[in-house]
Amino acid sequence: MPAQQKKIIFCIAGVLSFACALGTAAAIGTQLWVKGTILCKTGALLVNATGQELEKFIGKIHYGLFHGERVRQCGLGGRPFQFSFFPDLLKIIPASIHVSVILFCTVLIIFALVGAGFFMFNAFGSPYETLHGPVGLYLWSFIACSCGCLIMILFSSEVKIHHLSEKIANFKEGSFTFKTHSEQFANSFWIILVCSLVHFLNALLIRFAGFEFPFSKSKDSGTITGAVDLMY
């Protein structure tokens, strides 16, 4: 492939990696990871609410990695309650998983920026053989993509398996019991998915630029080398 086309491909990959770093950083600070509704089970059972009456006992909840908000609805009007994970909810949430998600988000940002820098260096500079060459580009893209996948797996298990929304809904609730009525992942979670796909796309762009995978070797080179050895 001509050098000019390779520069264009590397520039595109570098811009995409930098955009992923910014998107992940923005996603970390938002409350748009999970949104849903919570049912005040105790209040609904007390009045035997059904149909339209049940809507008076359905509140809302949304949260991110650091803070969020729930609206308590027990037939007496909505009462908003702001909360933060650190240090308020550390005793009731799976703290090790939650901290791991934050750490992997940080690693994703770092390696996305590293990848963006190396893509630009390969586009406008003189690439080195390993760190700045195709081996390094594959490595940074692979690490960033893997971190994105781990973030989604860990956070999904925290929300679905460990019933995170239900634990938050029942935080500091003595007489009322809340149950998750509906739950869905919000924009910030899907941003991580898009970033993972972008880093996978970057690996394909490297291959499209004409670079072989680091673990692939040309059979012709081995044959030529063997022939030369036989000559001597």
Side-chain angles (χ1 to χ4, degrees):
M1 179 177 288
Q4 189 66 28
Q5 293 184 19
K6 286 185 178 181
K7 286 185 178 181
I8 295 174
I9 290 175
F10 286 147
C11 286
I12 293 174
V15 171
L16 289 176
S17 293
F18 186 72
C20 286
L22 292 181
T24 304
I28 290 177
T30 64
Q31 302 181 15
L32 300 176
W33 283 72
V34 174
K35 61 181 180 180
T37 57
I38 51 177
L39 173 65
C40 182
K41 186 177 178 181
T42 305
L45 290 175
L46 284 174
V47 299
N48 197 19
T50 57
Q52 294 183 351
E53 294 180 352
L54 196 62
E55 295 180 359
K56 297 180 180 180
F57 297 90
I58 296 178
K60 297 180 180 179
I61 187 170
H62 61 89
Y63 55 88
L65 298 180
F66 292 96
H67 47 85
E69 183 186 51
R70 75 181 187 204
V71 179
R72 175 184 174 185
Q73 187 91 356
C74 288
L76 302 173
R79 298 181 182 181
F81 175 74
Q82 299 281 344
F83 60 86
S84 60
F85 284 92
F86 305 99
D88 297 343
L89 300 175
L90 281 181
K91 294 182 180 179
I92 64 169
I93 66 170
S96 59
I97 298 179
H98 200 79
V99 172
S100 297
V101 172
I102 297 172
L103 288 177
F104 279 118
C105 284
T106 305
V107 174
L108 175 58
I109 294 172
I110 293 173
F111 279 97
L113 291 174
V114 169
F118 284 147
F119 275 118
M120 291 301 180
F121 190 88
N122 276 270
F124 299 104
S126 300
Y128 291 107
E129 188 174 343
T130 53
L131 290 180
H132 299 280
V135 176
L137 295 180
Y138 282 121
L139 179 62
W140 314 135
S141 299
F142 174 76
I143 293 175
C145 183
S146 300
C147 288
C149 294
L150 285 172
I151 291 168
M152 291 186 294
I153 292 171
L154 290 174
F155 190 75
S156 299
S157 66
E158 183 182 10
V159 174
K160 299 298 182 180
I161 298 176
H162 294 275
H163 306 290
L164 184 60
S165 299
E166 207 161 292
K167 290 180 178 179
I168 294 174
N170 290 284
F171 178 62
K172 289 185 177 180
E173 289 291 340
S175 56
F176 291 94
T177 301
F178 289 87
K179 191 175 183 63
T180 303
H181 186 261
S182 66
E183 187 179 54
Q184 59 183 346
F185 294 108
N187 297 340
S188 296
F189 179 84
W190 300 118
I191 287 175
I192 302 298
L193 174 61
V194 172
C195 289
S196 301
L197 295 176
V198 166
H199 288 296
F200 180 76
L201 175 63
N202 282 346
L204 296 180
L205 287 177
I206 300 169
R207 181 66 187 88
F208 183 71
F211 284 149
E212 297 289 341
F213 286 102
F215 46 78
S216 63
K217 295 182 179 179
S218 176
K219 295 181 179 179
D220 296 336
S221 62
T223 304
I224 295 172
T225 304
V228 172
D229 292 338
L230 288 174
M231 290 177 64
Y232 293 95

